[in-house]
Amino acid sequence: MSEAPQVFTIILNWNGLADTRECLQSLRDVSYPAQRVIVVDNGSQEDEARLLEQQFGDFIYLIRNQTNVGVAAGWNIGIRYALERGTDYVLLLNNDVIVDPDFLSELVAAAQSRPDLAAACPKTYFRHSPDVIYSTGGRVNIWTATARQIGRGQVDRGQFERVARRDYADGVCILISKAALERVGLLDEDYFAYWEETDWCFRARELGLRCYYVPAAKIWHKAARSLSPGNDFYYLYRRNALLFVRKRGNALQLTSALLMHLLVYGPAYFVRHPSRIGRAPSEARALLWHATNRRASNQARQPPLV
């Protein structure tokens, strides 16, 4: 019997000690025999890195960043660490997740049987509603700069029980093969946070690789944002949605996306939710960023692979 492929699970911690502890406790019960765990602390306050090392030092490799370098750069630091140690796969996992003990075995089995695989994602549920689907991966429309999580908000009645291709594997939990990383490269750090996994999956697809949803793998996600809605979240999400089109689309697609956000999505949202007009400055700030940064590179900004 051949040895199980090596998997490094990588978790980012940024002022999320309680969630990270729960996540690591659930990972201790994972049945997969060849898992190693990296925690990248992104400059958390209160010396959370030290507390995690005290509790889980026999289980994790801890990497300390002095400042919050962002999600994409934080992931890349962990990925490079794993690749330097000969991993076969990396699993990028949000810290506010708990996992089924067999989830990783199911993801790896699906990956091993698909030579065109770039990445795989599990069936993700909401933690507060454990039978309601958070995501089964997603689809992207580059003409409108929108990404949709397939199945979100639906009670699981078995309607998503087949392995299926997706435009992107949801970044809450994404298994990526070493072979794909060697072809596609690392995450694009221009995004800082949000849309970085969508961009990576799109780049993989351009090379003929595919992303898959694996229903037998199950996890539960708190779906809490580390950036407060109405401030940096709205700014970064809107900025990065349009940045994705600038990097991966053409001029006609960018024009279409801008018009949709300015004339359709924005006005329709505020008509339906007038109490949320407070997010408008952040949305405007995102559009202003694009107006004043006309030369955003279509190349991924990333460090060397190893």
Side-chain angles (χ1 to χ4, degrees), residues 13 15 36 46 48 54 56 69 72 78 85 101 107-108 112 137 154 173 178 187 212 216 265 270 277 288:
N13 180 67
N15 302 323
R36 301 164 82 179
E46 308 300 330
E48 290 188 357
Q54 286 179 349
F56 297 99
V69 299
R85 284 150 183 81
L107 286 176
V108 173
Q112 288 287 94
Q154 297 183 30
C173 177
K178 174 185 177 180
L187 298 168
Y212 289 91
Y265 295 137
F270 291 121
I277 193 67
L288 180 62

mmCIF file of all heavy atoms in Angstrom, residues 13 15 36 46 48 54 56 69 72 78 85 101 107-108 112 137 154 173 178 187 212 216 265 270 277 288:
data_model
loop_
_atom_site.group_PDB
_atom_site.id
_atom_site.type_symbol
_atom_site.label_atom_id
_atom_site.label_comp_id
_atom_site.label_asym_id
_atom_site.label_seq_id
_atom_site.Cartn_x
_atom_site.Cartn_y
_atom_site.Cartn_z
ATOM 1 N N ASN A 13 -4.181 33.309 11.443
ATOM 2 C CA ASN A 13 -4.770 33.854 12.660
ATOM 3 C C ASN A 13 -4.498 35.349 12.706
ATOM 4 O O ASN A 13 -3.355 35.781 12.595
ATOM 5 C CB ASN A 13 -4.176 33.191 13.903
ATOM 6 C CG ASN A 13 -4.776 33.761 15.182
ATOM 7 O OD1 ASN A 13 -5.958 33.558 15.450
ATOM 8 N ND2 ASN A 13 -3.974 34.481 15.963
ATOM 9 N N ASN A 15 -6.015 38.105 15.322
ATOM 10 C CA ASN A 15 -6.896 38.508 16.421
ATOM 11 C C ASN A 15 -8.131 37.602 16.504
ATOM 12 O O ASN A 15 -9.236 38.067 16.777
ATOM 13 C CB ASN A 15 -7.324 39.972 16.269
ATOM 14 C CG ASN A 15 -6.137 40.913 16.224
ATOM 15 O OD1 ASN A 15 -5.144 40.704 16.926
ATOM 16 N ND2 ASN A 15 -6.216 41.936 15.394
ATOM 17 N N ARG A 36 -0.076 17.765 8.311
ATOM 18 C CA ARG A 36 0.704 18.633 9.184
ATOM 19 C C ARG A 36 0.054 20.011 9.133
ATOM 20 O O ARG A 36 -0.569 20.377 8.129
ATOM 21 C CB ARG A 36 2.167 18.686 8.723
ATOM 22 C CG ARG A 36 2.806 17.295 8.713
ATOM 23 C CD ARG A 36 4.092 17.254 7.913
ATOM 24 N NE ARG A 36 5.225 17.738 8.687
ATOM 25 C CZ ARG A 36 6.481 17.776 8.200
ATOM 26 N NH1 ARG A 36 6.742 17.363 6.973
ATOM 27 N NH2 ARG A 36 7.465 18.222 8.959
ATOM 28 N N GLU A 46 -2.141 41.120 21.635
ATOM 29 C CA GLU A 46 -2.232 40.294 22.847
ATOM 30 C C GLU A 46 -1.376 39.032 22.766
ATOM 31 O O GLU A 46 -1.641 38.058 23.469
ATOM 32 C CB GLU A 46 -3.692 39.913 23.131
ATOM 33 C CG GLU A 46 -4.659 41.079 23.163
ATOM 34 C CD GLU A 46 -4.321 42.103 24.233
ATOM 35 O OE1 GLU A 46 -3.746 41.703 25.268
ATOM 36 O OE2 GLU A 46 -4.631 43.292 24.029
ATOM 37 N N GLU A 48 -1.157 36.568 20.726
ATOM 38 C CA GLU A 48 -1.921 35.343 20.480
ATOM 39 C C GLU A 48 -1.040 34.215 19.962
ATOM 40 O O GLU A 48 -1.305 33.031 20.230
ATOM 41 C CB GLU A 48 -3.065 35.626 19.499
ATOM 42 C CG GLU A 48 -4.160 36.492 20.094
ATOM 43 C CD GLU A 48 -5.380 36.615 19.194
ATOM 44 O OE1 GLU A 48 -5.358 36.062 18.068
ATOM 45 O OE2 GLU A 48 -6.357 37.254 19.618
ATOM 46 N N GLN A 54 1.803 27.744 23.061
ATOM 47 C CA GLN A 54 1.752 27.063 24.356
ATOM 48 C C GLN A 54 0.764 25.901 24.333
ATOM 49 O O GLN A 54 1.031 24.831 24.877
ATOM 50 C CB GLN A 54 1.357 28.063 25.445
ATOM 51 C CG GLN A 54 2.451 29.028 25.840
ATOM 52 C CD GLN A 54 1.994 30.012 26.903
ATOM 53 O OE1 GLN A 54 0.800 30.109 27.212
ATOM 54 N NE2 GLN A 54 2.928 30.760 27.475
ATOM 55 N N PHE A 56 -0.726 24.409 21.479
ATOM 56 C CA PHE A 56 -0.701 23.480 20.343
ATOM 57 C C PHE A 56 0.709 23.262 19.790
ATOM 58 O O PHE A 56 0.868 22.807 18.668
ATOM 59 C CB PHE A 56 -1.597 24.009 19.217
ATOM 60 C CG PHE A 56 -3.038 24.121 19.585
ATOM 61 C CD1 PHE A 56 -3.574 25.347 19.970
ATOM 62 C CD2 PHE A 56 -3.870 23.013 19.559
ATOM 63 C CE1 PHE A 56 -4.912 25.468 20.300
ATOM 64 C CE2 PHE A 56 -5.214 23.118 19.895
ATOM 65 C CZ PHE A 56 -5.750 24.348 20.272
ATOM 66 N N VAL A 69 -0.022 41.257 6.995
ATOM 67 C CA VAL A 69 0.418 41.385 5.603
ATOM 68 C C VAL A 69 -0.702 41.087 4.620
ATOM 69 O O VAL A 69 -0.506 41.177 3.405
ATOM 70 C CB VAL A 69 1.623 40.465 5.322
ATOM 71 C CG1 VAL A 69 2.806 40.830 6.199
ATOM 72 C CG2 VAL A 69 1.244 38.984 5.502
ATOM 73 N N ALA A 72 -3.764 37.111 1.189
ATOM 74 C CA ALA A 72 -3.012 36.482 0.100
ATOM 75 C C ALA A 72 -1.547 36.299 0.476
ATOM 76 O O ALA A 72 -0.973 35.220 0.291
ATOM 77 C CB ALA A 72 -3.140 37.320 -1.172
ATOM 78 N N GLY A 78 2.735 30.670 4.152
ATOM 79 C CA GLY A 78 2.507 29.289 4.570
ATOM 80 C C GLY A 78 2.717 28.293 3.446
ATOM 81 O O GLY A 78 3.287 27.206 3.652
ATOM 82 N N ARG A 85 9.132 21.957 2.335
ATOM 83 C CA ARG A 85 9.205 20.720 3.120
ATOM 84 C C ARG A 85 8.578 19.528 2.386
ATOM 85 O O ARG A 85 8.268 18.510 2.988
ATOM 86 C CB ARG A 85 8.557 20.952 4.491
ATOM 87 C CG ARG A 85 9.497 21.751 5.395
ATOM 88 C CD ARG A 85 8.797 22.608 6.405
ATOM 89 N NE ARG A 85 9.798 23.381 7.153
ATOM 90 C CZ ARG A 85 10.346 24.511 6.682
ATOM 91 N NH1 ARG A 85 10.008 24.980 5.492
ATOM 92 N NH2 ARG A 85 11.261 25.153 7.397
ATOM 93 N N PRO A 101 -14.219 14.812 10.805
ATOM 94 C CA PRO A 101 -12.944 14.074 10.872
ATOM 95 C C PRO A 101 -12.479 13.483 9.550
ATOM 96 O O PRO A 101 -11.276 13.338 9.322
ATOM 97 C CB PRO A 101 -13.239 12.977 11.901
ATOM 98 C CG PRO A 101 -14.306 13.550 12.773
ATOM 99 C CD PRO A 101 -15.160 14.373 11.853
ATOM 100 N N LEU A 107 -11.318 14.856 0.435
ATOM 101 C CA LEU A 107 -10.758 15.820 -0.517
ATOM 102 C C LEU A 107 -9.559 15.235 -1.255
ATOM 103 O O LEU A 107 -9.438 15.369 -2.477
ATOM 104 C CB LEU A 107 -10.349 17.101 0.220
ATOM 105 C CG LEU A 107 -11.465 18.035 0.675
ATOM 106 C CD1 LEU A 107 -10.872 19.196 1.476
ATOM 107 C CD2 LEU A 107 -12.261 18.572 -0.511
ATOM 108 N N VAL A 108 -8.668 14.588 -0.514
ATOM 109 C CA VAL A 108 -7.468 14.032 -1.141
ATOM 110 C C VAL A 108 -7.837 12.902 -2.095
ATOM 111 O O VAL A 108 -7.278 12.802 -3.199
ATOM 112 C CB VAL A 108 -6.468 13.551 -0.075
ATOM 113 C CG1 VAL A 108 -5.294 12.821 -0.726
ATOM 114 C CG2 VAL A 108 -5.960 14.737 0.746
ATOM 115 N N GLN A 112 -6.789 12.934 -5.973
ATOM 116 C CA GLN A 112 -5.912 11.907 -6.520
ATOM 117 C C GLN A 112 -6.495 11.249 -7.770
ATOM 118 O O GLN A 112 -5.756 10.768 -8.629
ATOM 119 C CB GLN A 112 -5.636 10.834 -5.465
ATOM 120 C CG GLN A 112 -4.719 11.278 -4.344
ATOM 121 C CD GLN A 112 -3.268 11.410 -4.792
ATOM 122 O OE1 GLN A 112 -2.818 12.491 -5.163
ATOM 123 N NE2 GLN A 112 -2.542 10.302 -4.772
ATOM 124 N N GLY A 137 -18.658 25.758 -3.439
ATOM 125 C CA GLY A 137 -17.875 26.350 -4.521
ATOM 126 C C GLY A 137 -18.715 27.383 -5.244
ATOM 127 O O GLY A 137 -19.866 27.652 -4.869
ATOM 128 N N GLN A 154 -29.382 27.352 1.187
ATOM 129 C CA GLN A 154 -30.315 26.246 0.990
ATOM 130 C C GLN A 154 -30.145 25.193 2.087
ATOM 131 O O GLN A 154 -29.022 24.853 2.458
ATOM 132 C CB GLN A 154 -30.085 25.587 -0.369
ATOM 133 C CG GLN A 154 -30.323 26.488 -1.564
ATOM 134 C CD GLN A 154 -30.153 25.749 -2.882
ATOM 135 O OE1 GLN A 154 -30.394 24.550 -2.962
ATOM 136 N NE2 GLN A 154 -29.731 26.475 -3.912
ATOM 137 N N CYS A 173 -12.140 26.943 2.465
ATOM 138 C CA CYS A 173 -11.407 25.680 2.570
ATOM 139 C C CYS A 173 -11.091 25.228 1.155
ATOM 140 O O CYS A 173 -11.999 24.872 0.400
ATOM 141 C CB CYS A 173 -12.236 24.632 3.301
ATOM 142 S SG CYS A 173 -11.445 23.007 3.395
ATOM 143 N N LYS A 178 0.328 20.463 -5.307
ATOM 144 C CA LYS A 178 1.653 20.994 -5.568
ATOM 145 C C LYS A 178 1.869 21.182 -7.058
ATOM 146 O O LYS A 178 2.435 22.196 -7.503
ATOM 147 C CB LYS A 178 2.712 20.057 -4.992
ATOM 148 C CG LYS A 178 4.142 20.447 -5.331
ATOM 149 C CD LYS A 178 5.127 19.406 -4.833
ATOM 150 C CE LYS A 178 6.559 19.747 -5.244
ATOM 151 N NZ LYS A 178 7.525 18.719 -4.765
ATOM 152 N N LEU A 187 -0.702 32.916 -4.831
ATOM 153 C CA LEU A 187 -1.814 33.854 -4.853
ATOM 154 C C LEU A 187 -1.321 35.254 -5.187
ATOM 155 O O LEU A 187 -0.199 35.642 -4.836
ATOM 156 C CB LEU A 187 -2.518 33.859 -3.497
ATOM 157 C CG LEU A 187 -3.135 32.535 -3.064
ATOM 158 C CD1 LEU A 187 -3.524 32.604 -1.595
ATOM 159 C CD2 LEU A 187 -4.330 32.167 -3.919
ATOM 160 N N TYR A 212 -12.912 21.550 -8.343
ATOM 161 C CA TYR A 212 -13.994 20.603 -8.076
ATOM 162 C C TYR A 212 -14.579 20.808 -6.688
ATOM 163 O O TYR A 212 -13.863 21.147 -5.729
ATOM 164 C CB TYR A 212 -13.471 19.171 -8.183
ATOM 165 C CG TYR A 212 -13.158 18.734 -9.587
ATOM 166 C CD1 TYR A 212 -11.878 18.912 -10.116
ATOM 167 C CD2 TYR A 212 -14.132 18.146 -10.391
ATOM 168 C CE1 TYR A 212 -11.579 18.513 -11.406
ATOM 169 C CE2 TYR A 212 -13.836 17.748 -11.686
ATOM 170 C CZ TYR A 212 -12.567 17.922 -12.194
ATOM 171 O OH TYR A 212 -12.267 17.530 -13.475
ATOM 172 N N ALA A 216 -18.710 14.782 -0.241
ATOM 173 C CA ALA A 216 -18.476 13.897 0.909
ATOM 174 C C ALA A 216 -17.594 14.545 1.970
ATOM 175 O O ALA A 216 -17.549 14.082 3.114
ATOM 176 C CB ALA A 216 -17.851 12.586 0.441
ATOM 177 N N TYR A 265 -26.339 47.476 -9.855
ATOM 178 C CA TYR A 265 -26.186 46.852 -8.541
ATOM 179 C C TYR A 265 -26.221 47.865 -7.404
ATOM 180 O O TYR A 265 -26.922 47.660 -6.399
ATOM 181 C CB TYR A 265 -24.891 46.047 -8.471
ATOM 182 C CG TYR A 265 -24.850 44.861 -9.387
ATOM 183 C CD1 TYR A 265 -23.709 44.562 -10.125
ATOM 184 C CD2 TYR A 265 -25.957 44.026 -9.538
ATOM 185 C CE1 TYR A 265 -23.670 43.471 -10.979
ATOM 186 C CE2 TYR A 265 -25.928 42.935 -10.376
ATOM 187 C CZ TYR A 265 -24.783 42.666 -11.101
ATOM 188 O OH TYR A 265 -24.738 41.591 -11.937
ATOM 189 N N PHE A 270 -29.318 49.963 -2.695
ATOM 190 C CA PHE A 270 -29.703 51.009 -1.747
ATOM 191 C C PHE A 270 -31.205 51.276 -1.777
ATOM 192 O O PHE A 270 -31.767 51.741 -0.781
ATOM 193 C CB PHE A 270 -28.902 52.278 -2.015
ATOM 194 C CG PHE A 270 -27.445 52.141 -1.677
ATOM 195 C CD1 PHE A 270 -26.464 52.343 -2.636
ATOM 196 C CD2 PHE A 270 -27.051 51.763 -0.405
ATOM 197 C CE1 PHE A 270 -25.123 52.191 -2.326
ATOM 198 C CE2 PHE A 270 -25.709 51.602 -0.080
ATOM 199 C CZ PHE A 270 -24.741 51.811 -1.050
ATOM 200 N N ILE A 277 -27.170 52.841 3.673
ATOM 201 C CA ILE A 277 -26.525 53.854 2.834
ATOM 202 C C ILE A 277 -25.138 54.211 3.352
ATOM 203 O O ILE A 277 -24.296 54.736 2.625
ATOM 204 C CB ILE A 277 -27.423 55.125 2.764
ATOM 205 C CG1 ILE A 277 -26.939 56.058 1.658
ATOM 206 C CG2 ILE A 277 -27.451 55.829 4.111
ATOM 207 C CD1 ILE A 277 -27.105 55.500 0.274
ATOM 208 N N LEU A 288 -13.088 55.027 -6.821
ATOM 209 C CA LEU A 288 -12.059 56.054 -6.939
ATOM 210 C C LEU A 288 -10.679 55.437 -7.073
ATOM 211 O O LEU A 288 -9.825 55.933 -7.808
ATOM 212 C CB LEU A 288 -12.114 56.983 -5.724
ATOM 213 C CG LEU A 288 -11.090 58.123 -5.701
ATOM 214 C CD1 LEU A 288 -11.308 59.066 -6.888
ATOM 215 C CD2 LEU A 288 -11.181 58.898 -4.390
#
